[in-house]
């Protein structure tokens, strides 16, 4: 009975479009929250302040231990995983040789993960115009199905209502 609900949810295709749009907006809002969490993690002090002196690779295990004491919300961030991965790399090899390749690999892995996290939004962005086209076809089909010349003379609104839905 609510005209606004009828306008946007009156047809199954419209209902699916509204649900998909809402899902996409929610996914993007959650991504924004994750970005804010990443920015907050960057502001946190995860390790002791560097004094400018070279650090022996053997210290990586100690630093890794310090890193494990951060709050749980930081442990799910890219910042934590990157730092942990580098400290793990150095501690296992007891050397920093090849660290630039490791950093590049971590960057590539994180980029792929970040890009893949938009898969649902990309799918919805692709599907909504197709559903709109489907609604148009169904509206036109409904408007002209069973229309006879006599019907056009009697009630033009029957045809125009279906066309209005489709457009």
């Amino acid at each position: 009975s609510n005209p606004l609900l009828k306008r946007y949810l009156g047809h199954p295709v419209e209902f699916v479009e509204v649900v998909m749009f809402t899902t996409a907006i929610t996914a993007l809002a959650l991504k924004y929250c994750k970005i804010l969490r990443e920015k907050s993690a960057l502001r946190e002090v995860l390790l002791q302040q560097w004094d400018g002196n070279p650090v022996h690779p053997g210290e990586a295990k100690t630093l890794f231990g310090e890193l494990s004491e951060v709050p749980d919300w930081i442990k799910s961030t890219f910042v934590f995983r990157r730092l942990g991965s580098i400290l793990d790399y150095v501690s296992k090899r007891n050397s920093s040789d090849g660290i630039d390749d490791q950093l590049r690999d971590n960057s590539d892995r994180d980029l792929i993960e970040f890009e893949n996290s938009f898969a649902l939004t990309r799918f919805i962005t692709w599907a909504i115009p197709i559903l709109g086209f489907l609604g148009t076809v169904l509206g036109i089909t409904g408007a002209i199905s069973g229309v006879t010349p006599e019907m056009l003379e009697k009630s033009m609104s029957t045809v125009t209502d279906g066309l209005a839905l489709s457009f």
Side-chain angles (χ1 to χ4, degrees):
S1 69
N2 186 335
L4 189 61
L5 287 177
K6 186 174 181 173
R7 178 178 179 181
Y8 291 108
L9 304 174
H11 192 273
V13 173
E14 292 170 334
F15 180 78
V16 170
E17 284 184 336
V18 168
V19 168
M20 291 180 86
F21 175 78
T22 305
T23 302
I25 291 298
T26 303
L28 290 174
L30 290 172
K31 295 218 59 66
Y32 181 70
C33 290
K34 189 171 183 174
I35 288 170
L36 292 177
R37 188 175 54 206
E38 291 287 339
K39 286 178 77 172
S40 294
L42 282 170
R43 286 187 217 107
E44 292 289 321
V45 177
L46 302 179
L47 297 173
Q48 63 186 339
Q49 185 74 27
W50 184 50
D51 62 4
N53 294 322
V55 178
H56 189 272
E59 295 286 320
K61 285 187 183 194
T62 307
L63 293 172
F64 192 76
E66 282 182 38
L67 191 62
S68 66
E69 296 173 10
V70 300
D72 288 340
W73 68 270
I74 293 179
K75 292 181 180 178
S76 64
T77 63
F78 286 114
V79 175
F80 176 84
R81 286 194 316 231
R82 279 246 190 131
L83 193 51
S85 173
I86 293 305
L87 289 173
D88 184 52
Y89 178 86
V90 172
S91 68
K92 285 181 179 175
R93 287 163 181 74
N94 203 25
S95 170
S96 61
D97 293 340
I99 201 166
D100 54 339
D101 290 333
Q102 182 67 19
L103 287 168
R104 226 175 279 111
D105 289 345
N106 287 347
S107 177
D108 291 344
R109 182 192 67 227
D110 290 344
L111 177 66
I112 289 168
E113 180 183 336
F114 186 72
E115 185 178 333
N116 288 341
S117 72
F118 283 98
L120 175 65
T121 307
R122 261 191 245 111
F123 171 75
I124 291 172
T125 303
W126 168 84
I128 284 179
I130 291 174
L131 286 172
F133 177 72
L134 178 63
T136 303
V137 171
L138 291 174
I140 291 171
T141 303
I144 62 172
S145 66
V147 174
T148 62
E150 295 82 28
M151 187 181 223
L152 283 174
E153 286 179 21
K154 291 180 185 173
S155 177
M156 187 66 152
S157 67
T158 305
V159 176
T160 59
D161 287 347
L163 291 174
L165 171 68
S166 68
F167 292 109

